[in-house]
Amino acid sequence: MDFRYWLGQALTSNEAWAETFTPVRPHPSLEISDGRFETAFEEFTERLKDNYPFFHPSYAGQMLKPPHPAAVVGYLTAMLVNPNNHALDGGPATAEMEREVVGQLATMFGYTEHLGHLTTSGTVANLEALFVARESHPGKGIAYSTEAHYTHGRMCGLLGVEGHTVPVDARGAMDLDALEELLRTGKIGTVVVTAGTTALGTVEPVHEVLALRERYGIRVHVDAAYGGFFRLLSGLDGPEGLPEAPWLAIAEADSIVIDPHKHGLQPYGCGAVLFKDPTVGRFYLHDSPYTYFTSEDLHLGEISLECSRAGAAAAALWLTFRVLPPTPDGLGRVLAAGRRAALRWAKLLEDSERFDLYQSPELDIVTYFPRTEPLSLSKIDETSARIMRVGMAAAKEPVFLSTLRVSERQFGLRHTGVDADADGARILRSVLMKPESEDHVDRLHERLEELSRG
């Protein structure tokens, strides 16, 4: 698509729509001369250069990448109207778009009916899921693995619910024996299962946790903020295909969170929460006599803890899904490229004389560490930090990685023969969520080897 052309069409479309109303003279208090704006804009764009090149495959650090041009055009076009999706009165068109895209997300996960909406983040989406969990099982605690996102512990504190951490196994997934031991106490009302942990990309056994639901009367919430769109690769042939069992089981979970602003190609912030049982909307009931007045239909604000939300976020996702739908042949092709890149890099690391793969990637996160002399946790920690620092500061062809601190125990579960002279170590971690990584991963590995020799 011709990005510049469609950005111009965003302005043209808005102007044409505005001209259907009585002309309004712009108020002089809002007028700014081109010269004054030019000065401010030059300063603004210069300051924006103080960023890492998130668009480039040499940036293989955190879960960051630019949105798709279709999302930008959709966001800008709707932002010029500036609808608020809290109430149908504030954004009738974009509220309908939100319902449609949330329906597509629900279908992707296998929900036949649902209640849900977009949020400004996965954190808020998880807050809403845990809020409903608290209301559904008052007085009961919430369990999540030690590898779950820190937001769950934080939100439990905010909600006044007791949070319980469950140990993980040798691949960083919830230990089911430890979970069942906790469930036998009768303290737990909800279990959070993570479909793609933030640190390692581990997919926890959703299907096996669901098998415990009837026995212990628990709710199951799936935090798929990072990994959710990988549902599109489950059961596929080829190296990018993923085991079906945990992904198919998500259709039976009580609630799901996913972040379109990660693998859904959206700008920040765009999260989503879905509930399998639409009757949980009763927990949101409230009265706002000055808000809901033009429609008897359900307003999105009536099923959300947030009030004002950008309708532009729904518009951006809607337009993106029109051209790259959440199907294996649509958005799935984008994720498949990142998944293949991760597998390719894992093979290069396994064959390397200078690095070891920490854990085989399950999605598109690759974790690895330098083979140091001596081979000790303290030396691995020091060398990992140096490689990241030097790579970022390189004058020519910089690379941008991130580090992950792992405990002595977790390191020992995966690798023997390492001197445990510290309680843990930083290792290197890369997220290959840009499809361009598939064509760049060999050079990325070469640069890594060069940095290790330096």
Side-chain angles (χ1 to χ4, degrees), residues 292-304:
Y292 312 122
F293 54 83
T294 63
S295 174
E296 295 300 317
D297 292 342
L298 184 70
H299 297 255
L300 292 166
E302 295 181 271
I303 54 166
S304 170

Side-chain angles (χ1 to χ4, degrees), residues 130-150:
L130 299 189
F131 160 72
V132 168
R134 184 192 70 179
E135 299 303 296
S136 301
H137 289 288
K140 296 283 189 175
I142 295 172
Y144 41 87
S145 78
T146 54
E147 287 291 318
H149 196 277
Y150 67 83

Side-chain angles (χ1 to χ4, degrees), residues 185-339:
T185 66
K187 296 179 179 179
I188 304 301
T190 298
V191 176
V192 176
V193 193
T194 306
T197 58
T198 311
L200 297 171
T202 299
V203 180
E204 295 191 320
V206 182
H207 53 304
E208 297 182 55
V209 175
L210 280 166
L212 301 172
R213 181 167 56 184
E214 287 191 19
R215 191 183 312 169
Y216 295 101
I218 55 171
R219 287 178 62 83
V220 175
H221 168 58
V222 175
D223 180 0
Y226 153 65
F229 283 105
F230 282 97
R231 169 66 180 86
L232 301 173
L233 304 186
S234 64
L236 295 186
D237 296 329
E240 65 269 26
L242 297 171
E244 283 189 305
W247 299 102
L248 293 178
I250 293 177
E252 301 305 318
D254 296 286
S255 54
I256 309 165
V257 157
I258 185 170
D259 273 355
H261 64 214
K262 291 190 173 76
H263 287 98
L265 307 178
Q266 298 307 291
Y268 291 107
C270 185
V273 61
L274 304 165
F275 298 99
K276 186 177 179 65
D277 177 10
T279 68
V280 300
R282 67 189 183 278
F283 298 127
Y284 289 95
L285 286 177
H286 64 279
D287 185 32
S288 181
Y290 51 83
T291 304
Y292 312 122
F293 54 83
T294 63
S295 174
E296 295 300 317
D297 292 342
L298 184 70
H299 297 255
L300 292 166
E302 295 181 271
I303 54 166
S304 170
L305 294 182
E306 293 179 276
C307 292
S308 297
R309 286 188 299 106
L317 186 56
W318 186 91
L319 187 56
T320 305
F321 278 1
R322 292 291 286 181
V323 293
L324 285 171
T327 61
D329 289 334
L331 195 55
R333 295 174 60 204
V334 179
L335 278 86
R339 169 89 176 119

Side-chain angles (χ1 to χ4, degrees), residues 54-55 63-67 262-263 265-266 334 433-435:
F54 305 128
F55 71 95
M63 296 174 185
L64 290 163
K65 64 179 179 181
K262 291 190 173 76
H263 287 98
L265 307 178
Q266 298 307 291
V334 179
M433 65 190 312
K434 292 182 287 291

Side-chain angles (χ1 to χ4, degrees), residues 374-380 408 418-425:
L375 189 59
S376 66
L377 290 181
S378 62
K379 192 67 174 175
I380 289 170
E408 173 196 351
V418 179
D419 182 9
D421 62 345
D423 61 0

Side-chain angles (χ1 to χ4, degrees), residues 12-184:
T12 300
S13 172
N14 180 260
E15 289 167 355
W17 173 72
E19 287 172 359
T20 65
F21 298 89
T22 304
V24 176
R25 178 180 67 89
H27 196 275
S29 65
L30 300 175
E31 291 180 1
I32 301 169
S33 69
D34 281 336
R36 183 178 180 186
F37 186 76
E38 181 181 15
T39 300
F41 190 71
E42 285 178 356
E43 179 185 1
F44 169 70
T45 52
E46 190 63 32
R47 293 190 67 165
L48 280 181
K49 293 176 184 176
D50 185 22
N51 268 307
Y52 302 122
F54 305 128
F55 71 95
H56 199 280
S58 66
Y59 182 87
Q62 305 290 356
M63 296 174 185
L64 290 163
K65 64 179 179 181
H68 192 277
V72 176
V73 173
Y75 200 104
L76 174 61
T77 307
M79 184 182 64
L80 294 171
V81 180
N82 202 26
N84 179 352
N85 271 21
H86 176 243
L88 293 174
D89 319 288
T94 51
E96 185 58 31
M97 290 179 185
E98 180 165 338
R99 288 198 183 97
E100 291 176 25
V101 295
V102 169
Q104 287 177 278
L105 292 173
T107 298
M108 181 182 77
F109 285 118
Y111 274 5
T112 54
E113 59 177 354
H114 70 279
L115 185 77
H117 60 88
L118 300 182
T119 66
T120 53
S121 68
T123 299
V124 172
N126 275 308
L127 170 63
E128 295 210 18
L130 299 189
F131 160 72
V132 168
R134 184 192 70 179
E135 299 303 296
S136 301
H137 289 288
K140 296 283 189 175
I142 295 172
Y144 41 87
S145 78
T146 54
E147 287 291 318
H149 196 277
Y150 67 83
T151 191
H152 296 292
R154 178 180 286 181
M155 294 304 113
C156 282
L158 183 63
L159 292 166
V161 176
E162 189 174 3
H164 301 260
T165 56
V166 181
V168 295
D169 59 21
R171 69 180 185 93
M174 183 181 287
D175 185 313
L176 294 180
D177 291 335
L179 172 63
E180 189 158 15
E181 183 179 347
L182 177 59
L183 294 179
R184 289 192 192 103

Side-chain angles (χ1 to χ4, degrees), residues 390-399 443 447 450-451:
V390 173
M392 290 171 59
K396 183 180 180 182
E397 206 174 349
V399 293
R443 180 53 189 155
R447 285 290 291 127
E450 292 166 6
L451 291 168

